[in-house]
């Protein structure tokens, strides 16, 4: 794009005016996109490359010096029990979060899309509320609600005849999953509901004539019609869950005994608590590889053509 | 009869879900008006015996959350301004011009949206350090801008595509240049799209926590979220949940209002940017 600018300027000195304006016209879209692409290139794309580069160096936080160590960090990581543990915890955390988040979103979307329901706006607003909260505020609310001594969840538990629990110790992983699902289900709800709105009403009317039950309509019409959006939704929330750890950071900081130490948490601690930027970058690189693999699955499942149509 | 029964069942289910989902947020507001002794009693009072609005003034003026809210506003509005300004011409170019490699470029932009930024926090720290932008708003705003650009470009592209070319061409007959016509004609017509993009950007920036926690060191620069986090277990403030939740509520009210008022806008934007692809 810089090239065409230079050519345009050079042409200005020699050739005719019409050729100049033609060159200019050609470079206009690139000039329009240049600032946005530059910012994205430097702060969205380059970090992926930089993570890999850094992973090959021994580099401490706040220290400008770096030494090349090759793939040392990688072999170090796979011999590290904490890292292996983080992988296992991440799989459970992500699988649990995604499955529940999708299910809750689906049920809420189905309820909102039910025929003849009034007050949709009110209910949708109530369902959306968690999404307006900062990750930190979500964590603080759950931290207080799960409190062993004063928490309201233990109060509800005693009402139901159960003993008070030390939730963030004995049930740490389920507790952080619940908090995360509570926060994230809105996103699934919004996506799935808009997909359901796109289903032609005639399909349901025809099914009704055939004497189809509500459940039958849901299974035979709604679910097949939203399968692509569902898949897209699951992939998006999978990526999102892998790449976020704020709730865990505040609620458990990875503990107790590493039971909630997801990969993002492990990465953050390595880089910013133990000041090992090189090791942190190595974990980042591995997370990026997983992200890219999931993205490829996405492209494979949807087909590149679906993407191009959107483009 | 069965239909009425069925819809009654749906209303019951939806009401139960609404209560369960909204409760933690209501709880935050309830906690924010409880006096200290009521916060530490079991069983907890669902409805406070005494209302303590002093938590709010304490949060704002003694704990200094006012400063945090202003910082959050600077970050969110700065990002919003930069991201919309940059995505606007880019989206226009992608909607109205044909050029080689356009599809690939669009896919690449979409791909950056699919690779979320949290894993980038370590390499980004390194990049900011090299640019001397650690502990600055500029650094954070640039990262947020890069993160929100893909979605904003996609949203705005959709709006531009719906503006007929004739409208823009007719404005060029009287000799106005392409760029000028872009702003004169397309800008007003794309306002709803800009609104949706602006809202997304504001929300995303406002609720972020880990990034400013990592990239900012000076307390007077902290956005409200990081400031709030520093109060948990603070030696002076203690963990005074009353003040803490008053502060949390203050930080939540802006996004809650935006959402309640512009809900349809938001869903529309989400559909245009995320689902259609």
């Amino acid at each position: 794009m810089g090239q065409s600018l230079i050519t345009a300027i050079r042409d200005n000195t020699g050739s005719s005016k019409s050729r100049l304006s033609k060159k200019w016209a050609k470079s206009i879209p690139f000039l329009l996109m240049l600032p946005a692409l530059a910012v994205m290139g430097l702060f969205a794309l380059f970090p992926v490359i930089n993570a890999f580069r850094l992973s090959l160096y021994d580099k401490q936080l706040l220290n400008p010096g770096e030494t090349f160590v090759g793939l040392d960090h990688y072999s170090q990581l796979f011999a590290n029990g904490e890292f292996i543990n983080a992988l296992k915890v991440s799989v459970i955390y992500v699988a649990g979060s995604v499955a529940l988040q999708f299910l809750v979103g689906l049920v809420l979307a189905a309820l909102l899309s039910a025929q003849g329901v009034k007050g949709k706006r009110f209910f949708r607003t109530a369902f959306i509320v968690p999404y307006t909260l900062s990750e930190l505020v979500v964590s603080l609310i759950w931290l207080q609600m799960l409190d062993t001594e004063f928490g309201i969840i233990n109060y509800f538990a005693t009402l139901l005849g159960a003993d008070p629990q030390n939730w963030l110790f004995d049930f740490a992983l389920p507790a952080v999953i619940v908090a995360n699902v509570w926060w994230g289900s809105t996103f699934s709800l919004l996506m799935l509901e808009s997909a359901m709105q796109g289903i032609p009403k005639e399909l349901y009317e025809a099914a009704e004539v055939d004497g189809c039950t509500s459940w039958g309509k849901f299974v035979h019409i709604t679910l097949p019609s939203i399968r692509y959006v569902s898949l897209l939704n699951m992939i998006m929330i999978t990526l999102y869950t892998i790449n976020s750890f704020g709730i865990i950071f505040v609620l458990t900081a990875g503990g107790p005994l590493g039971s909630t130490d997801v990969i993002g948490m492990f990465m953050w601690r390595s880089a910013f608590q133990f000041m090992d930027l090189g090791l942190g970058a190595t974990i980042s690189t591995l997370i990026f590889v997983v992200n890219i693999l999931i993205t490829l699955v996405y492209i494979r499942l949807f087909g590149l053509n679906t993407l191009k149509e959107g483009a | 009869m069965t239909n009425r029964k069925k819809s009654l069942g749906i209303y019951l289910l939806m009401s139960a879900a609404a209560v369960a989902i909204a409760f933690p947020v209501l709880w935050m507001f309830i906690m924010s008006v409880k006096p200290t002794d009521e916060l530490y009693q079991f069983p907890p009072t669902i409805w406070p015996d005494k209302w303590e609005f002093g938590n709010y003034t304490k949060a704002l003026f003694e704990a200094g959350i006012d400063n945090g809210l202003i910082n959050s506003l600077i970050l969110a509005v700065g990002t919003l301004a930069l991201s919309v300004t940059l995505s606007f011409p880019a989206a226009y170019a992608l909607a109205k011009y044909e050029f080689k490699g356009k599809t690939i470029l669009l896919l690449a932009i979409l791909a950056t949206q699919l690779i979320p930024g949290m894993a980038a926090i370590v390499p980004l720290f390194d990049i900011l350090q090299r640019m001397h932008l650690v502990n600055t708003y500029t650094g954070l705003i640039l990262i947020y801008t890069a993160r929100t650009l893909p979605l904003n470009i996609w949203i705005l592209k959709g709006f531009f595509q719906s503006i007929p070319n004739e409208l823009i061409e007719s404005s060029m007959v009287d000799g106005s240049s392409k760029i000028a016509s872009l702003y004169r004609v397309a800008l007003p017509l794309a306002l709803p799209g800009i609104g949706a993009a602006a809202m997304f950007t504001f929300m995303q920036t406002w609720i972020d926590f880990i990034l400013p926690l990592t990239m900012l060191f000076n307390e007077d620069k902290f956005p409200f979220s990081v400031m709030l986090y520093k109060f948990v277990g603070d030696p002076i403030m203690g963990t005074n949940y009353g003040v803490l939740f008053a502060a949390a509520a203050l930080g939540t009210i802006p996004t809650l209002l935006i959402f309640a008022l512009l809900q349809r806008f938001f869903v529309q934007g989400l559909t245009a940017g995320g689902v259609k692809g």
Side-chain angles (χ1 to χ4, degrees), chain A residues 84-231:
Chain A
I84 304 298
N85 172 63
L87 284 181
K88 282 182 198 159
V89 174
S90 293
V91 169
I92 301 171
Y93 179 70
V94 172
S97 295
V98 170
L100 284 174
Q101 198 173 317
F102 177 77
L103 261 178
V104 173
L106 183 69
V107 170
L108 295 177
L111 287 174
L112 275 181
S113 305
Q115 278 167 302
V117 167
K118 282 182 191 133
K120 265 185 199 178
R121 220 182 127 84
F122 169 78
F123 283 110
R124 195 193 285 120
T125 307
F127 296 160
I128 280 175
V129 154
Y131 203 59
T132 64
L133 266 54
S134 128
E135 205 168 15
L136 178 78
V137 172
V138 170
S139 315
L140 289 177
I141 293 174
W142 284 90
L143 192 64
Q144 199 282 333
M145 291 202 308
L146 291 164
D147 192 274
T148 317
E149 278 179 84
F150 312 108
I152 190 145
I153 292 187
N154 269 340
Y155 173 60
F156 290 145
T158 53
L159 285 185
L160 295 169
D163 289 328
Q165 303 291 335
N166 191 348
W167 298 102
L168 288 173
F169 193 87
D170 295 321
F171 301 96
L173 191 52
V176 290
I177 290 176
V178 166
N180 188 36
V181 168
W182 176 78
W183 190 41
S185 294
T186 304
F187 180 68
S188 299
L189 157 72
L190 290 175
M191 268 183 93
L192 297 174
E193 196 207 346
S194 67
M196 285 180 194
Q197 276 170 358
I199 304 172
K201 296 241 174 348
E202 295 78 42
L203 284 178
Y204 290 109
E205 282 158 14
E208 225 156 89
V209 173
D210 292 340
C212 204
T213 61
S214 300
W215 178 250
K217 280 188 276 185
F218 181 71
V219 172
H220 296 296
I221 300 171
T222 311
L223 285 184
S225 308
I226 62 164
R227 65 183 186 280
Y228 280 117
V229 173
S230 301
L231 205 56

Side-chain angles (χ1 to χ4, degrees), chain B residues 56-123:
Chain B
Y56 280 86
T57 49
K58 265 188 206 154
L60 267 180
F61 305 115
E62 284 172 40
I65 283 294
D66 54 343
N67 195 26
L69 289 171
I70 291 169
N71 290 341
S72 288
L73 197 69
I74 293 172
L75 283 173
V77 172
T79 306
L80 187 157
L82 187 62
S83 186
V84 171
T85 310
L86 297 189
S87 58
F88 179 78
Y92 183 84
L94 287 163
K96 294 296 183 197
Y97 288 91
E98 284 309 320
F99 51 86
K100 236 180 162 181
K102 182 171 151 181
T103 314
I104 291 170
L105 189 62
L106 272 165
L107 289 178
I109 292 172
L110 190 72
T112 58
Q113 194 193 348
L114 281 167
I115 300 176
M118 205 41 82
I121 204 160
V122 177

Side-chain angles (χ1 to χ4, degrees), chain A residues 57-70:
Chain A
Y57 287 85
D58 184 16
K59 179 167 186 184
Q60 301 304 306
L61 189 77
L62 306 177
N63 184 349
E66 38 185 50
T67 337
F68 187 78
V69 293

Side-chain angles (χ1 to χ4, degrees), chain A residues 25 28-30 32-33 35-37 39-40 42-48 50-51 53-54 59 61-63 66 104 108 111-112 114 116-119 121-137 140-145 147-152 154-156 158 164 182-183 187 190-191 194-195 214 217 229 232 235-236 239-240 243-246 249-250 267-268 271-272 277 280-281 284 287-288 291-292 295 298 304 306-308 310-311, chain B residues 6 10-11 13-15 17-18 20-25 27-28 31 39-44 46 86-87 89-90 92-94 97 99-100 102-103 105-107 109-131 133 139 142-143 145-146 149-150 153-154 157 161 178-179 182 203 206-210 213-214 217 224-226 228-229 232 241 244-245 248 252 255-256 259-261 263-264 266-267 270-271 274-277:
Chain A
I28 281 176
F30 296 103
L32 291 174
M33 291 185 299
L37 292 181
V39 173
M40 274 195 281
L42 190 55
F43 293 98
L45 219 56
F46 181 58
V48 183
N50 196 35
R53 190 195 64 81
L54 268 177
K59 179 167 186 184
L61 189 77
L62 306 177
N63 184 349
E66 38 185 50
V104 173
L108 295 177
L111 287 174
L112 275 181
V117 167
K118 282 182 191 133
R121 220 182 127 84
F122 169 78
F123 283 110
R124 195 193 285 120
T125 307
F127 296 160
I128 280 175
V129 154
Y131 203 59
T132 64
L133 266 54
S134 128
E135 205 168 15
L136 178 78
V137 172
L140 289 177
I141 293 174
W142 284 90
L143 192 64
Q144 199 282 333
M145 291 202 308
D147 192 274
T148 317
E149 278 179 84
F150 312 108
I152 190 145
N154 269 340
Y155 173 60
F156 290 145
T158 53
W182 176 78
W183 190 41
F187 180 68
L190 290 175
M191 268 183 93
S194 67
S214 300
K217 280 188 276 185
V229 173
L232 174 60
I235 289 159
M236 284 174 86
L239 285 171
Y240 191 78
N243 289 279
S244 73
F245 60 96
F249 184 91
V250 179
M267 173 202 75
W268 199 90
F272 298 106
L277 217 54
S284 290
I287 299 177
F288 274 131
N291 285 342
I292 291 164
T295 309
Y298 162 75
L304 203 58
T306 333
L307 279 175
K308 277 184 186 162
Chain B
K6 207 173 75 191
I10 287 174
Y11 281 118
L13 273 174
M14 286 216 292
S15 307
I21 292 169
F23 177 78
V25 183
W27 191 236
M28 169 180 74
M31 299 283 296
L39 286 163
Y40 299 101
Q41 71 183 40
F42 194 86
I46 305 276
L86 297 189
S87 58
Y92 183 84
L94 287 163
Y97 288 91
F99 51 86
K100 236 180 162 181
K102 182 171 151 181
T103 314
L105 189 62
L106 272 165
L107 289 178
I109 292 172
L110 190 72
T112 58
Q113 194 193 348
L114 281 167
I115 300 176
M118 205 41 82
I121 204 160
V122 177
L124 272 173
F125 185 89
D126 181 62
I127 293 169
L128 288 195
Q129 205 175 26
R130 282 161 198 274
M131 297 175 79
L133 289 176
L142 283 169
I143 297 173
T145 301
L149 271 173
I153 289 176
W154 274 77
K157 186 179 78 77
Q161 273 166 341
K178 279 214 168 182
I179 304 285
L182 167 62
M203 291 279 305
W206 186 269
I207 68 174
D208 193 42
F209 162 61
I210 292 282
L213 177 81
T214 311
F217 307 141
F224 97 93
S225 59
V226 178
L228 218 55
Y229 177 67
V232 183
Y241 273 121
L244 195 68
F245 282 111
T252 304
T255 46
L256 210 57
F259 234 94
L261 297 175
Q263 193 196 105
R264 201 166 297 164
F266 196 85
V267 178
L270 191 77
T271 328
V275 186
K276 261 194 204 156

